[in-house]
Amino acid sequence: MSIIRPPAVAGTFYPADADLLRSEIDGLLDAALHSDAVSGSAIPKAIIVPHAGLMFSGSLAALGFATVRALRNTVKRIVIIGPAHRMAFQGIALARADQFATPLGSMRCDLPALQSALSLPHVQMLDEAHTLEHGLEIELPFIQRLFGEGADIGIVPLLVSRCSPRQVHEVIEKLWGGPETLIVISSDLSHFHDYDTAQRMDNRTRAMIENFDAENIDTSDACGALPVAGMLMAARNRAMKIKTLGMRNSGDVTGDKSRVVGYGAWAIYQADASDMAEDDETDFTKATENLIKAHGAEMLGLCRQSILHGIETGAPLQVSPNEFGPELSAPGACFVTLKKAGQLRGCIGSVMAHAPLATDLCENAFKAAFRDPRFAGLAPSEINDDLELSISVLSPPAPFAFDGEADLIGKLTPFEDGIILSDGNRRGLFLPQVWDQLPDPKDFLAYLKRKAGLPMDHWSPHMRAERFITRGISSKDVRPSGFWDQQD
């Protein structure tokens, strides 16, 4: 008979209604996936995320989880370590449970991993510590929505109370595993100081985390100081790298800055992960060219079906990743472009991979045809031989360093670079295909600034750029005429 640990904070820290919870989590993850903070192709081994109610820290937790989206078909075990809030005890506590439940269903516990942790002398079984605890539970809906509510992933929930960072480090080492294991450290930052004091304290904590200063971080800096310190020891010993994804406090949400709680999110990578951009780009180019060679016609056919389905039903074609091979069922990011008599008729896409490529193709084809705000929805009478459909598959965007506007212009590679340009909340993207109309790098940059909602001569020291490349295919490449008349 299974022992299920029921939700303790559903209806308070997050919605108790499953549909409402899905909607909230999906919205937070979608925003995170489109954030500059999660750009890049490196996949973290561990993340540090907050555990307050969704309205307060959900956006930061989503940033952390968004960085591990590519583990969807790899991760089998998630170790979640957080501080005990409801009771004090010696050491680290497990729950006598086979499953942890949320309104989205139950997640199984990885019992062999729990037994392995229990072999350490400072780890004990203590149900009472878990009964009302929120610090681990709040992370579960993110895992369920990101990796799938029915995904076969085992969790290892661990609560830390009176022990040393070294003892937490021992547990982390015991459960480190390989690519199948993700480590989630659950911690908020400073508590109940005024806004300015909290910012100073949290910035100091940020510096300690970025410098792997496990010895000096304490519970006045973060409620999960012990789990964080244990993780920093493991990361430091492996010469890993840490990236700050974002920080805020409750005063930024409520406007009450008299007594706030701080939050932050970090990703922890293998040491050489961020130094592999050139190899990653080469791998992407080869893999995507092979993908298009083998499945390009099928990909175009999916887009065509979704548009025809949209004409009939007003909705995109719904597909199951199980219908396709691993290339189209794996996460992928694409843009779908429509041209009518050689003129742009619609273009919509995804910057980051957040769904199976087959799903992304169907959704973006529908949106390009019917939801591009620059154009009226595609009419049935327009579906004929002079309507061209093309697909661009995107590499993960990577930071593009430059020193001033002239340096950026000089570093652009015409007909190869796709660029995401941002300044504050303004953001614009050009696919490499835009070089066909704007072959001069100065013009390319000027019109990209205009697309971002900035003056074409605008410049500021806060300007940022990310670069990506694409490989694509057009309906004209596979069938110059009769493409829209094919029967499936």
Side-chain angles (χ1 to χ4, degrees):
M1 180 178 176
S2 293
I3 302 173
I4 300 176
R5 188 269 194 189
V9 292
T12 53
F13 279 66
Y14 62 87
D17 178 80
D19 288 337
L20 184 57
L21 178 58
R22 289 187 185 98
S23 178
E24 279 202 33
I25 295 291
D26 289 356
L28 291 167
L29 288 172
D30 184 68
L33 287 165
H34 290 86
S35 166
D36 292 341
V38 303
S39 63
S41 58
I43 304 172
K45 172 64 178 183
I47 55 176
I48 301 172
V49 289
H51 53 231
L54 292 186
M55 70 170 288
F56 293 103
S57 67
S59 61
L60 285 174
L63 285 177
F65 283 104
T67 64
V68 297
R69 62 200 177 279
L71 293 174
R72 183 180 177 93
N73 297 316
T74 302
V75 68
K76 299 299 179 185
R77 177 192 303 127
I78 300 180
V79 180
I80 314 173
I81 310 176
H85 293 84
R86 298 295 182 174
M87 66 178 295
F89 53 88
Q90 290 300 126
I92 300 171
L94 313 179
R96 198 181 305 274
D98 302 307
Q99 302 174 49
F100 271 50
T102 78
L104 303 182
S106 295
M107 294 201 71
R108 68 174 178 85
C109 294
D110 188 325
L111 299 181
L114 290 170
Q115 287 298 321
S116 179
L118 200 56
S119 68
L120 295 171
H122 50 278
V123 180
Q124 62 172 305
M125 195 76 73
L126 189 63
D127 283 336
E128 297 93 319
H130 286 266
T131 302
L132 299 175
E133 179 58 50
H134 67 275
L136 308 183
E137 180 182 330
I138 192 67
E139 316 299 0
L140 299 183
F142 286 99
I143 294 170
Q144 289 171 303
R145 293 305 295 161
L146 186 67
F147 297 115
E149 293 176 24
D152 184 24
I153 296 174
I155 59 171
V156 187
L158 303 169
L159 287 177
V160 176
S161 187
R162 295 170 178 160
C163 68
S164 69
R166 183 65 58 186
Q167 289 173 314
V168 179
H169 175 231
E170 288 177 19
V171 173
I172 291 173
E173 292 292 339
K174 190 88 170 174
L175 302 174
W176 188 265
E180 82 292 338
T181 300
L182 170 68
I183 300 170
V184 176
I185 304 297
S186 178
S187 179
D188 293 340
L189 300 179
S190 63
H191 281 55
F192 310 132
H193 301 282
D194 66 82
Y195 188 89
D196 291 337
T197 300
Q199 282 199 316
R200 287 194 299 272
M201 293 180 67
D202 294 344
N203 283 328
R204 176 177 175 271
T205 302
R206 170 182 178 163
M208 286 191 287
I209 291 174
E210 291 178 341
N211 291 304
F212 302 91
D213 189 356
E215 285 69 29
N216 289 314
I217 189 169
D218 64 33
T219 53
S220 65
D221 304 308
C223 61
L226 292 173
V228 170
M231 185 66 233
L232 292 178
M233 289 180 177
R236 186 174 61 197
N237 290 347
R238 289 173 167 82
M240 298 176 80
K241 294 188 176 182
I242 292 180
K243 178 183 179 181
T244 299
L245 303 174
M247 296 179 66
R248 72 189 301 182
N249 65 48
S250 58
D252 296 317
V253 179
T254 65
D256 181 357
K257 299 185 176 183
S258 61
R259 198 166 180 261
V260 304
V261 177
Y263 315 114
W266 289 266
I268 303 173
Y269 303 87
Q270 298 295 341
D272 59 348
S274 61
D275 301 324
M276 299 171 62
E278 188 173 333
D279 290 340
D280 287 346
E281 186 172 297
T282 301
D283 291 345
F284 167 83
T285 301
K286 291 179 179 178
T288 306
E289 287 174 352
N290 290 335
L291 167 72
I292 290 171
K293 183 177 180 180
H295 300 284
E298 183 182 7
M299 294 160 63
L300 288 165
L302 271 175
C303 292
R304 180 180 58 82
Q305 290 177 58
S306 191
I307 291 172
L308 296 176
H309 188 268
I311 288 282
E312 295 178 1
T313 67
L317 180 70
Q318 298 294 316
V319 295
S320 169
N322 296 331
E323 301 174 35
F324 306 96
E327 294 89 351
L328 297 185
S329 61
C334 73
F335 268 68
V336 175
T337 302
L338 293 171
K339 289 185 177 180
K340 184 69 173 173
Q343 300 299 310
L344 184 65
R345 186 62 182 81
C347 182
I348 296 289
S350 304
V351 178
M352 302 296 297
H354 67 282
L357 180 57
T359 300
D360 207 48
L361 287 164
C362 290
E363 291 181 352
N364 289 335
F366 173 82
K367 291 175 182 177
F370 308 107
R371 295 291 185 267
D372 189 327
R374 298 169 292 181
F375 303 97
L378 195 69
S381 61
E382 296 180 88
I383 299 179
N384 49 43
D385 279 351
D386 71 349
L387 180 66
E388 181 181 1
L389 186 155
S390 62
I391 297 166
S392 297
V393 181
L394 278 64
S395 72
F400 193 57
F402 56 87
D403 184 15
E405 184 173 18
D407 187 47
L408 174 56
I409 291 170
K411 287 181 175 178
L412 292 173
T413 303
F415 304 99
E416 179 68 10
D417 288 347
I419 297 292
I420 304 168
L421 190 72
S422 59
D423 188 3
N425 293 325
R426 302 288 187 175
R427 188 167 185 256
L429 177 150
F430 271 170
L431 294 171
Q433 291 92 315
V434 175
W435 288 105
D436 293 336
Q437 287 77 47
L438 300 169
D440 186 313
K442 291 182 180 178
D443 293 338
F444 185 93
L445 181 59
Y447 280 90
L448 179 53
K449 284 189 275 187
R450 188 175 76 171
K451 186 174 182 182
L454 299 166
M456 294 174 73
D457 60 352
H458 173 82
W459 192 258
S460 86
H462 306 296
M463 195 80 78
R464 296 181 57 196
E466 293 176 282
R467 176 183 181 271
F468 62 91
I469 61 172
T470 69
R471 290 296 181 268
I473 188 171
S474 165
S475 58
K476 301 295 186 184
D477 297 331
V478 298
R479 190 177 292 265
S481 64
F483 173 79
W484 297 96
D485 300 326
Q486 295 178 64
Q487 299 296 317
D488 296 307

